[in-house]
Amino acid sequence: MTACAIEPEAAPEEEFPRAGCTITADGAYAARLALDGDSWFPERWTLDGPEPYVVPLPGNQPEEPGTEVQPMGDGRVLIRRVSEGRHVFSLLYPTGPGTGEVLIGAVECPDEGTRLRLLPPAPGGEKAYALAVGRRSSAVWLVAGGAFGPEHVAEIPGRCSGGVWLDRAGRMLALDREVGGCTKAVTVDLERAGEVTPLLQIAAGSNDRLLLADPDSGLLLIASDAPSPGTERLGWGVLGSTLPVRFPECLRVPDCTVTPFAIQPGQVLMPESCGVALRVDGPMGSWVGLWRPDLRQVRHLPAPTGWLTGTGLWTRDGELQLPYADAEVTCGVARVRMPAGEDGETGAGAEAEAGSSEPSTPPDEPSTSPDEPSPPPDEPSEAEPPEPAAPRPVPLREAPLGRLVTN
């Protein structure tokens, strides 16, 4: 058993809606809590075979609704349960008709105000991390993949949230850190005792958070109130670029929350060509938005019926895969193609292919305004890395806002 070395206090709730499941970094597996009547139980989805399929992993008793699950690269499922102030971690795996379970250990957080949650799946799938948030500091824990159970790997001054991986090695982690009432994204080097360096510094007093990153192209999706103080805007930048962050007008949807959840990989040195999948939550429900930095509009599409809302995976050739489950299909993947034209219109095959599942009724497409064409990105700069070699993010520092907001 390990104790949290933090001063506990409840952190604010996440401002972005929780996704319906968690997918490994390579897209091979997914995991979620499913409901059978009034009982919750874990499921593992296999997504990299000829057809997706699901394996239920029920335990001896139903799970609590807030239990977290995360798929590992070998097909096992990490589960976090809370018991009397302890966060207990186990690995689940199928054993014929039953479920096998390997207890890893626990992180003890005796104060109810302490918040601990799993970070997004690490690249490689061999390790899993958790973030414990206190009043003055936050701790990163290696909760699966260590030699002797949960290990404390970093202590970061300030209250942290978010969590985005910046490299394929699982070394560089971006967190949104609140210090003195201001939130800025920072980079945490997990192989250098949690060394913290700035990542986003758009304006001196702005709140700048990192939502998504693609290690191949360096594309970053950012939420910031720099262009509109008091109102958060969705923007994009390029890791290591000297160009300012841009905030396209088309990413503003009236009366809706827009949350990016997937970036197309493999577009090396071509960040403007990366497809970005957006979750749009509004009065009419949730649907999918498709966008690229070089497009002037967002293409709004109905989500497949039973979509595990807020989850999906891009292939390198531009196909978005959306997992769904409904009364007829227990494990399905709808496939959507990225818009082909500058105007955001899609070509053949752009609609979701959801097998026998019919798409939900499409919402009225919110009006959007085109933004100015984006200038070509700089090639990412590379600083001298420490030994062993690892990419060092270059912070997007204070930038003039005159050309930042596009109308």
Side-chain angles (χ1 to χ4, degrees):
M1 184 186 301
T2 315
C4 287
I6 60 174
E7 184 173 351
E9 177 177 293
E13 293 295 324
E14 296 291 336
E15 297 189 18
F16 296 100
R18 177 178 291 187
C21 75
T22 304
I23 304 176
T24 55
D26 63 1
Y29 296 102
R32 68 164 184 152
L33 276 188
L35 188 62
D36 181 12
D38 296 329
S39 301
W40 295 93
F41 65 94
E43 281 186 346
R44 186 199 71 192
W45 289 37
T46 299
L47 303 176
D48 62 347
E51 294 292 337
Y53 66 92
V54 61
V55 176
L57 296 170
N60 296 326
Q61 61 185 22
E63 306 292 345
E64 295 294 327
T67 299
E68 285 188 294
V69 293
Q70 185 173 116
M72 303 296 292
D74 60 5
R76 294 183 293 178
V77 172
L78 175 69
I79 186 167
R80 177 187 69 88
R81 302 183 179 102
V82 181
S83 176
E84 299 179 351
R86 298 187 308 157
H87 298 262
V88 183
F89 298 91
S90 296
L91 289 170
L92 308 178
Y93 58 94
T95 57
T99 301
E101 181 169 341
V102 177
L103 178 64
I104 301 175
V107 175
E108 186 174 358
C109 300
D111 194 303
E112 293 183 358
T114 302
R115 289 189 66 219
L116 186 146
R117 63 174 179 83
L118 292 174
L119 287 166
E126 297 177 354
K127 298 180 179 181
Y129 295 85
L131 178 69
V133 183
R135 179 165 48 188
R136 294 188 178 90
S137 66
S138 302
V140 177
W141 292 83
L142 173 64
V143 296
F148 305 105
E151 301 175 10
H152 179 274
V153 295
E155 191 79 16
I156 303 108
R159 299 169 61 181
C160 294
S161 59
V164 177
W165 295 101
L166 298 176
D167 63 348
R168 297 291 184 194
R171 171 176 175 172
M172 310 304 292
L173 173 67
L175 294 172
D176 302 323
R177 181 176 67 170
E178 179 188 350
V179 177
C182 188
T183 300
K184 300 286 186 183
V186 297
T187 301
V188 181
D189 189 336
L190 298 182
E191 292 190 9
R192 300 192 67 181
E195 181 182 74
V196 177
T197 54
L199 179 61
L200 294 180
Q201 298 182 15
I202 299 176
S206 61
N207 294 292
D208 311 317
R209 301 192 290 173
L210 182 64
L211 306 182
L212 277 183
D214 174 57
D216 296 331
S217 64
L219 178 64
L220 307 178
L221 272 296
I222 294 160
S224 175
D225 60 2
S228 305
T231 302
E232 200 165 62
R233 294 278 300 273
L234 187 62
W236 68 279
V238 179
L239 192 64
S241 174
T242 58
L243 296 177
V245 175
R246 299 180 67 87
F247 296 86
E249 188 69 22
C250 66
L251 295 181
R252 302 180 71 181
V253 182
D255 302 321
C256 293
T257 300
V258 180
T259 309
F261 63 87
I263 300 179
Q264 180 184 356
Q267 309 302 298
V268 180
L269 303 182
M270 299 175 61
E272 292 186 333
S273 299
C274 291
V276 178
L278 308 169
R279 168 181 176 172
V280 187
D281 296 283
M284 303 182 67
S286 300
W287 63 93
V288 179
L290 301 181
W291 176 75
R292 285 199 316 254
D294 62 359
L295 293 181
R296 298 188 177 190
Q297 292 185 353
V298 174
R299 175 67 173 178
H300 295 269
L301 299 175
T305 301
W307 179 36
L308 304 187
T309 309
T311 59
L313 174 74
W314 282 104
T315 63
R316 290 175 177 265
D317 62 355
E319 182 182 74
L320 176 63
Q321 301 177 353
L322 303 171
Y324 72 95
D326 58 23
E328 298 180 356
V329 180
T330 59
C331 178
V333 175
R335 304 175 189 279
V336 182
R337 276 286 171 185
M338 186 63 210
E342 175 75 13
D343 58 358
E345 292 298 323
T346 57
E351 298 301 325
E353 299 174 1
S356 59
S357 173
E358 292 295 329
S360 58
T361 302
D364 293 332
E365 184 168 322
S367 60
T368 58
S369 301
D371 62 318
E372 297 175 357
S374 304
D378 288 351
E379 294 189 0
S381 60
E382 297 182 358
E384 286 294 327
E387 294 294 335
R392 299 293 300 171
V394 178
L396 301 180
R397 296 187 179 275
E398 297 180 11
L401 294 177
R403 297 174 55 238
L404 235 150
V405 183
T406 53
N407 298 312

